């Protein structure tokens, strides 16, 4: 609000800047009877108005603050009670992490100050600089790693430098001892482990910040499965950390009401809801079952699958699923040994995923190579439904036009689609917007791609094995997307998070296309089905 008043003040005409023969305005001289200046004089009217407006603004904010303060205190008290004793412990761990990364910054800063170049710009923000903030988040553990990944996937909400840096926020964590995993299994199953599983491999298949995965075999059916086990105490840690972040957001909005326009508390609530969904395996099981039902209804079970959930040995903290065997879509050498046409497999993956966008309530929002496999039987396997997205029909309609305009290089349509998708309270110059977008997308031709082909002859079969790996500068692709966001925001557009999630998945598929089908235009090829009628996908495109 202060900016508005300053702008109005700058536009006012003051006697000081008129053609006055005197260099200074002639101020009225107060009489001896009164020591007060006459602020009603013409020269002081703008200043008086400005002072009055500022006083009114201050009074209004003070009144709002007085009214909202009891609500703030009550919110802080209730949130602290809900946090429980875990809060002080996490505070101590946070201080330890802060001191550790602070020591790294001091060591790096001392090296830089000894050089002639001085302290680099990226280090001048201290621990708030992108690189050191990422390191701090990684040290703080599960909540902050997930928060970092949220930042990386939400360029519409966070500065470009932070989005790019948090692309490197790795979700890696030490293994939980198998004895603790066994204790959780016994507690959740409510019976001996050996009555449900023939065996459980004590060595985990994977260990991330939130969960640990172990291979196992079911008793009776002898089916190979994997058990996803929520790490002990992780939910309490998430609740404590997210409550702390929420309290900070509430205090910041109270101290600076302008932040409420950016919906800071709303963003924190969205993050909280998203993270707590990841630690509720009932919800992940429901996401998997919904996707499998979609495949069944569309007759796609011969082309793709998701792991079957074994409900009798799954709870909120453990998830027992069918074990799928296959290779990531980035392993071209193995893929070529499984199928004759990697391009056809990629098209199947694209069609299945595009089809799920509107046919399912949620879509798979994390199709990196670890979660998208080519299975030994030639089907596409979709794994890990912990992160899902929801898309509204309005957003998808605009997104469809946007994707089509990328393929045809129709930048006016692209600008119109982005304008329809983004929230704004002002008119957008679509033609100027289109010209700026054209400048950005012309840079696609400059993307660095290196094709490395290694050929080796098998002395036994006399066959030729060819393996290829496409090395793509993914940072450039991310930079391209961020440029679109930056230019869009310059026109007052704010996109929903689902737009960023969709674009991130498309960047993954772009990588797979460059590797498996370099001549394929996934947005223009007639074999790839992108249509907007819910439930009316063309099944022949999957065959």
């Amino acid at each position: 609000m202060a900016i508005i008043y300053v702008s109005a003040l700058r536009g006012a005409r003051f006697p000081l800047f008129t053609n006055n023969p005197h260099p200074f305005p002639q101020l009225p001289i107060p009489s001896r009877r009164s020591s007060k200046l006459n602020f009603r004089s013409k020269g002081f009217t703008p200043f008086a108005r400005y002072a009055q407006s500022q006083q009114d603004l201050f009074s209004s904010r003070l009144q709002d603050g007085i009214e909202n303060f009891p609500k703030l205190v009550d919110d802080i008290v209730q949130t602290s009670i809900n946090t429980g004793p875990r809060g002080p412990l996490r505070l101590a761990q946070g201080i330890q992490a802060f001191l550790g990364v602070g020591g790294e910054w001091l060591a790096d800063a001392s090296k830089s100050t000894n050089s002639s170049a001085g302290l680099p710009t990226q280090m001048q923000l201290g621990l708030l600089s992108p690189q050191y903030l990422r390191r701090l988040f990684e040290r703080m553990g599960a909540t902050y790693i997930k928060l970092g990944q949220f930042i990386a996937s939400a360029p519409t909400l966070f500065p470009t430098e932070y989005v790019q840096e948090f692309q490197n926020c790795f979700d890696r964590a030490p293994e939980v001892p198998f004895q603790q995993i066994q204790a959780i299994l016994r507690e959740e199953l409510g019976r001996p482990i050996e009555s449900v599983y023939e065996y459980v491999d004590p060595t985990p298949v994977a260990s991330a910040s939130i969960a640990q995965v172990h291979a196992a075999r079911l008793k009776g059916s002898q089916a190979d499965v994997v058990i996803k086990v929520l790490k002990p105490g992780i939910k309490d840690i998430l609740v404590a950390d997210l409550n702390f972040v929420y309290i900070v957001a509430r205090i910041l909005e109270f101290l600076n009401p302008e932040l409420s326009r950016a919906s800071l508390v709303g963003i924190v609530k969205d993050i909280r809801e998203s993270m707590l969904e990841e630690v509720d395996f009932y919800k992940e099981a429901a996401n998997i079952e919904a996707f499998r039902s979609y495949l069944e209804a569309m007759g796609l079970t011969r082309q793709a699958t998701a792991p079957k959930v074994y409900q009798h040995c799954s709870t909120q903290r453990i998830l027992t699923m069918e074990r799928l065997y296959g290779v990531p879509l980035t392993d071209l050498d193995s893929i070529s040994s499984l199928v004759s046409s990697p391009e056809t497999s990629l098209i199947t993956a694209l069609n299945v995923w595009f089809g799920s966008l509107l046919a399912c309530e949620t879509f798979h929002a994390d199709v990196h190579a670890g979660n998208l496999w080519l299975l030994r039987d030639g089907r596409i396997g979709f794994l890990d439904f912990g992160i899902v997205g929801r898309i509204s029909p309005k957003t998808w309609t605009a997104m469809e036009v946007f994707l089509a305009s990328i393929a045809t290089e129709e930048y006016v349509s692209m600008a119109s689609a982005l304008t329809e998708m983004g929230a704004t309270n002002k008119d957008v110059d679509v033609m100027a917007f289109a010209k700026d977008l054209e400048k950005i997308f012309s840079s696609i031709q400059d993307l660095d791609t290196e094709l490395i082909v290694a050929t080796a002859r098998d002395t036994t079969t006399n066959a030729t094995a060819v393996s290829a790996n496409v090395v793509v500068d993914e940072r450039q692709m991310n930079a391209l997307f961020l440029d679109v966001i930056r230019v869009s925001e310059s026109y007052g557009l704010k996109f929903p998070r689902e737009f960023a999630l969709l674009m991130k998945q498309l960047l993954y598929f772009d990588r797979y296309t460059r590797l498996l089908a370099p001549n394929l235009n996934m947005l223009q090829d007639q074999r790839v089905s992108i249509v907007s009628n819910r439930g009316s996908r063309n099944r022949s495109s999957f065959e």
Side-chain angles (χ1 to χ4, degrees), residues 79-388:
T79 304
S80 300
I81 292 173
N82 293 337
T83 300
R86 177 71 68 171
L89 175 61
R90 286 298 290 160
L91 179 61
Q93 292 172 339
I95 293 172
Q96 185 179 9
F98 182 86
L99 293 175
V101 178
E104 294 177 9
W105 181 87
L106 287 173
D108 294 341
S110 63
K111 296 176 184 177
S112 299
T113 51
N114 293 333
S115 65
S116 57
L119 196 65
T121 305
Q122 64 269 25
M123 292 186 62
Q124 292 176 5
L125 289 175
L127 297 194
L128 291 179
S129 64
Q131 180 183 3
Y132 293 95
L133 190 62
R134 173 186 54 83
R135 292 184 188 178
L136 180 61
F137 276 27
E138 289 178 341
R139 283 199 180 211
M140 288 288 289
T143 308
Y144 292 88
I145 288 173
K146 291 296 179 183
L147 182 58
Q149 293 173 341
F150 179 88
I151 292 172
S153 67
T156 60
L157 300 176
F158 301 97
T160 301
E161 297 79 7
Y162 290 86
V163 172
Q164 290 177 328
E165 180 61 37
F166 278 94
Q167 301 286 342
N168 303 318
C169 192
F170 298 114
D171 190 355
R172 53 194 174 199
E175 298 175 5
V176 172
F178 187 57
Q179 291 79 3
Q180 293 186 39
I181 297 295
Q182 288 177 310
I184 293 172
L185 289 174
R186 279 191 292 268
E187 180 182 348
E188 291 298 306
L189 293 170
R191 47 189 158 159
I193 297 174
E194 55 272 16
S195 69
V196 179
Y197 305 103
E198 188 75 27
Y199 83 94
V200 179
D201 192 340
T203 303
V205 175
S207 178
S209 57
I210 284 179
Q212 191 159 297
V213 179
H214 288 261
R217 179 172 294 154
L218 288 178
K219 196 175 185 67
S221 68
Q222 298 294 297
D224 287 347
V225 296
V226 291
I227 314 169
K228 187 174 183 179
V229 183
L230 192 68
K231 289 189 172 180
I234 199 66
K235 187 172 182 178
D236 291 340
I237 291 174
L238 280 177
V239 169
D241 289 349
L242 292 170
N243 283 348
F244 172 74
V245 173
Y246 173 76
I247 289 174
V248 170
R250 285 284 282 117
I251 293 173
L252 289 175
E253 278 200 1
F254 177 80
L255 296 176
N256 184 3
E258 296 295 321
L259 288 175
S260 62
R261 294 184 178 183
S263 301
L264 182 61
V265 170
I267 291 171
V268 171
K269 285 182 177 179
D270 287 344
I271 294 173
R272 174 191 171 94
E273 182 180 350
S274 175
M275 287 190 185
L276 291 181
E277 280 189 358
E278 285 194 59
V279 297
D280 185 351
F281 290 161
Y282 281 136
K283 292 188 177 180
E284 182 172 351
N287 294 334
I288 295 173
E289 290 302 326
F291 188 80
R292 286 174 59 87
S293 296
Y294 150 70
L295 295 177
E296 183 73 31
M298 299 302 296
L300 302 175
T301 53
R302 293 184 178 181
Q303 287 76 39
T305 190
K308 175 184 176 181
V309 175
Y310 291 90
Q311 301 286 357
H312 72 282
C313 47
S314 294
T315 68
Q316 191 174 40
R317 296 174 63 198
I318 64 172
L319 183 60
T320 303
M321 300 171 285
E322 168 191 10
R323 185 173 188 180
L324 300 179
Y325 294 93
V327 295
L329 281 192
T330 50
D331 189 349
L332 179 57
D333 190 26
S334 298
I335 289 174
S336 298
S337 67
L338 293 173
V339 293
S340 59
S341 175
E343 182 179 279
T344 301
S345 297
L346 174 63
I347 291 171
T348 297
L350 282 165
N351 282 326
V352 170
W353 184 77
F354 275 124
S356 70
L357 290 179
L358 288 180
C360 300
E361 277 191 28
T362 60
F363 65 89
H364 198 304
D366 197 22
V367 291
H368 62 71
N371 291 338
L372 193 60
W373 287 8
L374 178 69
L375 305 182
R376 292 176 182 175
D377 60 10
R379 293 185 298 171
I380 297 296
F382 287 81
L383 288 72
D384 195 348
F385 284 74
I387 300 177
V388 295

Side-chain angles (χ1 to χ4, degrees), residues 298 355 358-359 396-397 400 530-538:
M298 299 302 296
L358 288 180
W396 175 245
T397 299
E400 193 178 3
I530 307 177
V531 296
S532 57
N533 293 326
R534 185 184 293 267
S536 62
R537 302 278 169 175
N538 183 0

